[in-house]
Amino acid sequence: MPDFLSVLLEFLRFGAIAFGGGIALISEMNRVLVVENAWLSPRVFIDGFALGQFVPGPNMLSVVFYGYRTFGVTGALAAWLGMFTPGAVLSILASSVWARVRDAPWAQAIRAALLPIGFGLSAGGVLTLAQASFQGISSVILAGLLGYLVYSRRLSLIAAVFVGGAIGAGLSLFA
């Protein structure tokens, strides 16, 4: 079982590389928490991510759940501190100087370089979630159908989540 410092250091690293938002970290978090350290099972990892998306607040509140499942209340605190401290410190530092440097060519180059990095990391996160979530052809078809309805028929995302959850629960009862 990991200790407070191990959990804190892993989540500090996650928080320091969180370019592109929380979804961009999913692949790396899965690799470290599930595959390498076996702190979480794949199902617990996905459930934690879903829970983090469901509750109000930052979309990466799932890290509190991960920390709690890994090392109890102190693990939850370590994961929360580790995940959000680097971004908070960087935001404070960046906001204090950004107004003076935002038009500099090097600042524009950094901003332009971070966009594809964030996109690639986010795409990796989506792929990781898809691999863990799709439990057969029926879930792939359901996701495709709901994606089509959201995109082309303007089905609200909230309705898609509830419809998909209801259909998925019904399918799991009969599988």
Side-chain angles (χ1 to χ4, degrees):
M1 175 176 267
D3 61 3
F4 180 86
L5 187 59
S6 299
V7 175
L8 177 66
L9 291 175
E10 277 302 342
F11 283 91
L12 273 171
R13 190 174 67 79
F14 293 149
I17 62 171
F19 291 102
I23 191 77
L25 291 173
I26 295 302
S27 294
E28 178 64 4
M29 292 174 95
N30 182 68
R31 184 183 68 76
V32 171
L33 301 177
V34 176
V35 177
E36 283 186 2
N37 294 315
W39 291 349
L40 304 170
S41 71
R43 182 81 254 157
V44 168
F45 182 79
I46 293 298
D47 289 347
F49 181 78
L51 180 65
Q53 299 302 298
F54 184 72
V55 298
N59 70 347
M60 283 311 295
L61 279 177
S62 56
V63 301
V64 175
F65 175 79
Y66 297 152
Y68 180 78
R69 289 299 299 259
T70 300
F71 193 62
V73 173
T74 55
L77 179 62
W80 176 74
L81 282 171
M83 183 68 194
F84 295 110
T85 299
V89 170
L90 184 59
S91 294
I92 291 167
L93 293 174
S95 66
S96 68
V97 297
W98 188 250
R100 293 185 302 247
V101 300
R102 74 172 160 226
D103 294 326
W106 62 267
Q108 292 175 359
I110 289 173
R111 189 173 46 228
L114 289 177
L115 183 63
I117 292 169
F119 180 81
L121 290 170
S122 295
V126 169
L127 180 61
T128 298
L129 290 173
Q131 288 173 330
S133 298
F134 293 143
Q135 302 296 320
I137 191 69
S138 61
S139 60
V140 174
I141 292 170
L142 178 59
L145 176 63
L146 289 171
Y148 169 77
L149 292 173
V150 166
Y151 179 74
S152 68
R153 303 286 186 219
R154 303 287 185 220
L155 177 68
S156 77
L157 290 174
I158 294 171
V161 168
F162 283 110
V163 168
I167 294 172
L171 289 173
S172 70
L173 290 175
F174 298 110

